[in-house]
Amino acid sequence: MQRVTLTPDAALTDADLDHLTRSTFVRQIEFHRTIDSTNRRALQLARELEHGGSLDGPLLVLAESQTDGRGRGTNRWWARPGALTFTLLIDSHLPQRRLPQASLTVGLAVCEAIEEFHPRSDMQLKWPNDVFCRQRKLSGILIELPLSNPRLLAIGIGININNSLRDAPEELQATATALCDVAGHTFDLTEVLTGVLNRLQYRLECIGRHDDELRTKWRERCLLTNRDVQVDLGTRKVAGRCRGIDDDGALVIETPAGLEPCFAGSVTLF
Ligand code: BTN
């Protein structure tokens, strides 16, 4: 097993980090109290690996807070301390066309892990890669393929756990939530992270082996099914009633012209 890398500003204890490497499939951890973005750092590590190093098992870049957390497209991820913000860098050999499925699978793992800590949390997937709890966003996922090394996958996850949104701006309170607000108490972040990583390992192993089960699970949790939506594809918008997620992970929209599968985009709910 690799040693944990503690950066000089580390705040989690050695015991917490040791617990993570003993109880999960993660083999190396780089912990930062503050960093610009764990995804950016993971991509940098992937570039460095290309020059001689190899990934010796899953690597976790974990931060207490980010100053420039990245979201999809031009979005930014902002969260107060108390959130889980991390990027898992893994060897995956996942073909690019399966990325939508990977996002949904990671989202599913987050739903399942959170439900273990708070069973009545009504966890759903908002295609393509948000996780909702009681109709509000609890977690965002940003999966990136390092250009320098496309056999690696950088899975960035932010989950609002102990960072209450009660005193956040009103528009954020209306759309987002934190697990502590839903449950009425705080959680041990190391325990929750351990649960999420273990569920992630299990669900990532299911890709390609238990695809039918995965598809059923995404569909059961799809927040958008039978709702009127507009999908912004970048070049054009598709509006209609969502008819679920197809076998490839595309969102299916019923439009006046027929059923249209959308492979990437951002969704507005009506
Ligand atoms: C989104 O909602 O558009 C995706 C948000 C993803 C945020 C996470 S937080 C950890 C990781 N590092 C980043 O810079 N972004 C992801």
Side-chain angles (χ1 to χ4, degrees), residues 37-39 66 69-72 77 86 130 137 140-141 157-158:
S37 152
T38 56
N39 264 41
Q66 298 180 120
R70 287 156 62 152
R72 288 189 315 112
W77 174 264
F86 61 93
D130 287 340
K137 181 163 169 171
I141 294 160
I157 304 180

Side-chain angles (χ1 to χ4, degrees), residues 4 27 44 47 63 73 76 78 83 92 114 122 127 138-139 148 172 178 180 226-227 244 268:
V4 163
R27 285 295 156 265
Q44 183 187 354
R47 274 195 300 278
R76 287 280 163 269
W78 176 88
S92 84
I114 294 299
D122 184 21
W127 182 96
L138 183 92
S139 167
S148 57
L172 207 59
C180 66
N226 294 329
R227 295 178 71 172
T268 308

Side-chain angles (χ1 to χ4, degrees), residues 94 98-112 125 127 199-222 244-250:
L94 194 77
R98 297 201 73 156
L99 267 188
Q101 299 171 17
S103 288
L104 291 165
T105 302
V106 169
L108 173 65
V110 171
C111 289
E112 292 174 336
L125 296 170
W127 182 96
R199 207 64 204 167
L200 262 177
Q201 177 187 17
Y202 171 67
R203 281 302 178 198
L204 289 171
E205 283 171 4
C206 288
I207 297 182
R209 289 204 285 138
H210 300 289
D211 285 348
D212 285 345
E213 188 208 348
L214 284 176
R215 287 171 184 139
T216 305
K217 299 273 181 197
W218 312 327
R219 286 180 183 131
E220 283 171 359
R221 289 186 187 266
C222 179
I245 301 173
D246 75 10
D247 284 356
D248 297 322

Side-chain angles (χ1 to χ4, degrees), residues 188-208:
D188 180 324
L189 281 184
T190 309
E191 289 300 331
V192 178
L193 180 55
T194 302
V196 172
L197 290 169
N198 284 332
R199 207 64 204 167
L200 262 177
Q201 177 187 17
Y202 171 67
R203 281 302 178 198
L204 289 171
E205 283 171 4
C206 288
I207 297 182

Side-chain angles (χ1 to χ4, degrees), residues 9-163:
D9 62 353
L12 274 194
T13 63
D14 276 340
D16 288 327
L17 300 175
D18 277 346
H19 176 77
L20 282 167
T21 45
R22 268 187 286 107
S23 320
T24 72
F25 70 147
V26 164
R27 285 295 156 265
Q28 303 169 71
I29 303 178
E30 187 179 279
F31 176 74
H32 299 263
R33 183 180 293 166
T34 304
I35 194 171
D36 53 355
S37 152
T38 56
N39 264 41
R40 194 171 289 120
R41 175 64 184 146
L43 294 179
Q44 183 187 354
L45 289 169
R47 274 195 300 278
E48 288 168 10
L49 282 175
E50 197 194 21
H51 306 298
S54 68
L55 194 58
D56 192 8
L59 187 158
L60 183 71
V61 182
L62 174 64
E64 207 166 83
S65 70
Q66 298 180 120
T67 54
D68 191 21
R70 287 156 62 152
R72 288 189 315 112
T74 55
N75 293 349
R76 287 280 163 269
W77 174 264
W78 176 88
R80 289 206 168 99
L84 278 176
T85 43
F86 61 93
T87 302
L88 186 67
L89 189 63
I90 55 167
D91 261 306
S92 84
H93 305 279
L94 194 77
Q96 188 139 13
R97 67 184 162 78
R98 297 201 73 156
L99 267 188
Q101 299 171 17
S103 288
L104 291 165
T105 302
V106 169
L108 173 65
V110 171
C111 289
E112 292 174 336
I114 294 299
E115 275 175 356
E116 280 174 21
F117 288 88
H118 191 65
R120 295 170 312 283
S121 34
D122 184 21
M123 302 296 299
Q124 287 183 292
L125 296 170
K126 180 175 177 240
W127 182 96
N129 48 5
D130 287 340
V131 172
F132 271 51
C133 173
R134 300 193 183 164
Q135 308 284 323
R136 288 189 169 83
K137 181 163 169 171
L138 183 92
S139 167
I141 294 160
L142 179 64
I143 300 188
E144 298 186 270
L145 280 178
L147 284 178
S148 57
N149 203 338
R151 74 192 161 80
L152 299 180
L153 209 56
I155 303 173
I157 304 180
I159 316 177
N160 297 324
I161 304 287
N162 293 333
N163 51 319

